[in-house]
Amino acid sequence: MERIFVIGAGMTTFGPQPDVEAHELARRAVWEAIASSGVAPQAFKARPSVAVAGHAYQGPCFAQKTLMKIGLQGLPMVNVENACASGSTAIIAAAAMIRSGEAELAIAFGAEKLTRPGGGFLPIVADDLESAMGRVMPAAFAMQAQLHMRRHGTTREQMALVAVKNRRYGTLNPRCHFKDEVTVEQVLASPSIAEPLTRLSCCPVSDGAAAVILAGESALRALGLAPRVELVASALVSGERTPFGIVDDKSEMSLRAARLAYERAGLGPQDVDLCEMHDPFTIAEIMHCEDLGFCAPGEGGAYVESGRSAIGGSGVAVSPSGGLMSKGHPLGATGVAQATEMFWQLRGEAGARQVPAARVGLTHTVGGGVTKLEAGASAVMIFRAL
Amino acid sequence: MSDAAAAPPAAPATVPIRPDLYVAAQPPRLVGSRDRVTGQVFFPAEAMNPATMSEGTLERHEFDGGGRLVAWTVIGRGLPGFDSPYALGTIALDAGPGFIGQLHDWQDKTLRPGMRVRLAIGHIKREKDGTEVLGPKFVPVEG
């Protein structure tokens, strides 16, 4: 099977950007990614290329609207939506199109504009019954937190330590929405959003875009590029029917996606040096460290408390970019932004937040509230430095 | 000449959150589907049985709506239209399905996992035009 390499990455600052349209945010990210790839933009017209855009709310033909501004109209383009996993899905779809022979090069990007006056929750989904009745995402994760606390003894302080860790890394990443630290006391004292989750336990509402350039092995050789970062394996799954939707103390679909990705990569959690994880709420990082196999079930609280998930810790460095806690979660951009972090970390270009000896990285997204399903989609990707 | 200026304003409409989701009787009932072959109950109703991947075996099924509280949370400030704070509960319905819905009359009660809940029909939210949306809610039962 054709090997896939990440040869370029770009990402806008995440945060409120009321005066910039989503397609302009995306253009900036794509342009930066192309510039960093060493491939002239004209090559995407000269060589078989595709573009895949991930987003949830940006309207029809978003990829076309974005890339025409660079002069890259006319390519085969796909627009994908998988809620919070839209960006990851875009990368996986782009890689599949290279492997199928449809293309040699791919531009995979994602963007979202979520800020509006007053900020707040994602819009209600009118035809989803539980959403229509007020089941907002913080509430779903709050009930997950309650179960995790009850079943495993996870504490509010342990959950707050996730925010403390990731907000500290946000100060090291100029592209983050939040670039200031918080303390456990500040997290616990901040206003309640959905008990036990406080405002500082939740990611901010942000706008942003990110992009990566993928190349197959043959294109890499033809273009005279040295492979530096490989997308070794990926897995995309959708949620199973569950008794209580997403409310549980684990994410079966994340576990399933991870297992598939590990099998395809011929690697295991013990091989992972860093992870950009889906952590829109503090409890999510605790649970997903367990789901992804970084620690035993129920041990996620201790994992963060012990410092094992810190940069330079003895375990997997989780969310060295600052995670969704610091960056925010512009839905379509998130999965691609995670991949950009892999690109910089695995090339040793992450500056002050560099994970020492980063060789293998894993990205994880999950999301999409659907009544009766755990969630809509989960995507896991494994990258390796060459 | 009629004094049209003195006519009171029309009361806001009330609508159910979804047609045929519940029966607003005393006591109220939920409306789902039941497979007449396997006996499995689905709520909300399904057009076909997704467990057996077959059509033609589901019947409209009214049921009690009581259950047990699995988890809950209080939302401090909800989306426009939702009276805040409001509480959501994850409910294990006695009839089999699970459901996440609003709690009713919860404020002065000590909520506990496994607590019984009974069904009520009440205010879910208010639309921008003032229409009140009604739907199934769950009342924690103490003792």
Side-chain angles (χ1 to χ4, degrees):
Chain A
M1 198 160 63
E2 173 97 89
R3 294 170 71 184
I4 305 292
F5 300 94
V6 186
I7 63 172
M11 178 184 163
T12 67
T13 301
F14 280 11
Q17 298 173 78
D19 299 327
V20 187
E21 300 274 10
H23 49 77
E24 170 57 17
L25 290 171
R27 184 203 66 78
R28 293 176 187 177
V30 170
W31 189 240
E32 181 186 355
I34 291 174
S36 73
S37 70
V39 176
Q42 290 77 7
F44 294 92
K45 287 218 140 185
R47 310 191 73 89
S49 302
V50 296
V52 187
H55 67 89
Y57 301 114
Q58 304 316 312
C61 294
F62 185 71
Q64 291 86 335
K65 205 183 299 188
T66 298
L67 296 182
M68 64 176 289
K69 299 180 188 308
I70 296 176
L72 286 175
Q73 62 284 339
L75 308 183
M77 299 194 193
V78 179
N79 294 283
V80 298
E81 180 276 316
N82 254 339
C84 307
S86 297
S88 313
T89 301
I91 295 175
I92 291 173
M97 293 178 84
I98 293 176
R99 289 199 187 97
S100 73
E102 174 81 23
E104 295 179 356
L105 296 170
I107 304 169
F109 66 101
E112 215 76 58
K113 274 190 74 70
L114 291 182
T115 60
R116 58 186 181 278
F121 305 115
L122 294 175
I124 290 284
V125 180
D127 68 350
D128 184 278
L129 182 60
E130 287 175 355
S131 175
M133 294 181 75
R135 189 263 291 121
V136 291
M137 272 301 138
F141 280 83
M143 289 189 279
Q144 291 184 309
Q146 191 186 70
L147 290 180
H148 209 276
M149 294 166 78
R150 189 189 311 154
R151 292 176 184 170
H152 304 300
T154 301
T155 66
R156 292 168 191 262
E157 289 74 16
Q158 287 172 330
M159 292 193 286
L161 283 169
V162 171
V164 170
K165 171 176 71 71
N166 294 349
R167 290 289 295 266
R168 184 166 71 246
Y169 298 153
T171 69
L172 307 175
N173 186 349
R175 301 172 200 251
C176 281
H177 181 150
F178 285 152
K179 300 184 193 56
D180 56 339
E181 298 195 50
V182 296
T183 64
V184 168
E185 293 72 26
Q186 287 172 322
V187 174
L188 296 180
S190 60
S192 178
I193 298 297
E195 167 64 24
L197 297 179
T198 62
R199 185 171 55 80
L200 292 178
S201 307
C202 306
C203 65
V205 179
S206 307
D207 308 327
V212 291
I213 309 299
L214 306 181
E217 193 167 15
S218 50
L220 215 63
R221 278 198 299 271
L223 292 165
L225 298 173
R228 297 281 304 278
V229 177
E230 183 177 2
L231 173 57
V232 178
S234 63
L236 175 66
V237 302
S238 61
E240 286 285 2
R241 281 182 170 255
T242 66
F244 308 117
I246 200 173
V247 177
D248 199 350
D249 62 348
K250 59 187 162 298
S251 170
E252 181 277 333
M253 60 198 292
S254 296
L255 198 154
R256 184 159 33 104
R259 189 176 61 234
L260 268 176
Y262 287 137
E263 279 171 16
R264 291 170 179 169
L267 297 169
Q270 69 282 357
D271 299 306
V272 179
D273 299 308
L274 69 152
C275 174
E276 284 291 312
M277 183 181 288
H278 198 73
D279 61 336
F281 309 98
T282 50
I283 183 60
E285 180 171 315
I286 285 176
M287 276 190 350
H288 295 318
C289 282
E290 300 167 8
D291 300 326
L292 299 174
F294 303 155
C295 64
E299 294 294 315
Y303 196 68
V304 62
E305 190 172 37
S306 67
R308 276 175 280 169
S309 57
I311 295 173
S314 60
V316 178
V318 177
S319 296
S321 68
L324 279 60
M325 285 272 119
S326 293
K327 288 186 292 192
H329 180 27
L331 268 60
T334 283
V336 188
Q338 293 174 336
T340 66
E341 185 69 11
M342 290 296 135
F343 181 79
W344 293 315
Q345 288 278 355
L346 296 174
R347 288 159 56 106
E349 296 171 356
R353 64 184 192 277
Q354 180 67 50
V355 173
R359 302 288 306 166
V360 175
L362 183 149
T363 66
H364 161 258
T365 50
V366 60
V370 179
T371 297
K372 299 302 171 186
L373 292 185
E374 180 194 331
S378 181
V380 170
M381 295 188 282
I382 299 178
F383 300 81
R384 177 168 51 202
L386 299 171
Chain B
M1 185 187 299
S2 64
D3 191 354
T14 60
V15 297
I17 191 162
R18 184 181 278 193
D20 206 25
L21 186 69
Y22 57 85
V23 176
Q26 286 301 333
R29 296 187 293 283
L30 292 176
V31 179
S33 305
R34 181 180 174 279
D35 190 304
R36 64 172 175 272
V37 174
T38 66
Q40 186 173 2
V41 173
F42 298 91
F43 178 78
E46 299 278 358
M48 59 177 280
N49 188 328
T52 59
M53 297 191 203
S54 60
E55 282 186 306
T57 58
L58 295 186
E59 302 168 324
R60 184 179 180 278
H61 179 65
E62 294 182 11
F63 61 98
D64 175 78
R68 294 202 174 269
L69 192 61
V70 173
W72 64 93
T73 186
V74 177
I75 292 98
R77 192 181 71 169
L79 280 162
F82 288 86
D83 294 342
S84 299
Y86 68 96
L88 285 176
T90 297
I91 311 295
L93 296 169
D94 294 335
F99 192 68
I100 297 174
Q102 289 189 27
L103 300 184
H104 185 70
D105 192 21
W106 54 273
Q107 289 85 338
D108 298 325
K109 295 176 182 168
T110 302
L111 302 181
R112 300 180 321 274
M115 189 172 192
R116 292 286 314 164
V117 295
R118 62 174 173 80
L119 179 69
I121 306 302
H123 173 90
I124 297 294
K125 60 187 173 185
R126 194 170 295 277
E127 304 287 25
K128 283 183 196 170
D129 65 2
T131 301
E132 182 181 24
V133 179
L134 302 181
K137 303 179 77 166
F138 300 90
V139 182
V141 178
E142 287 189 307

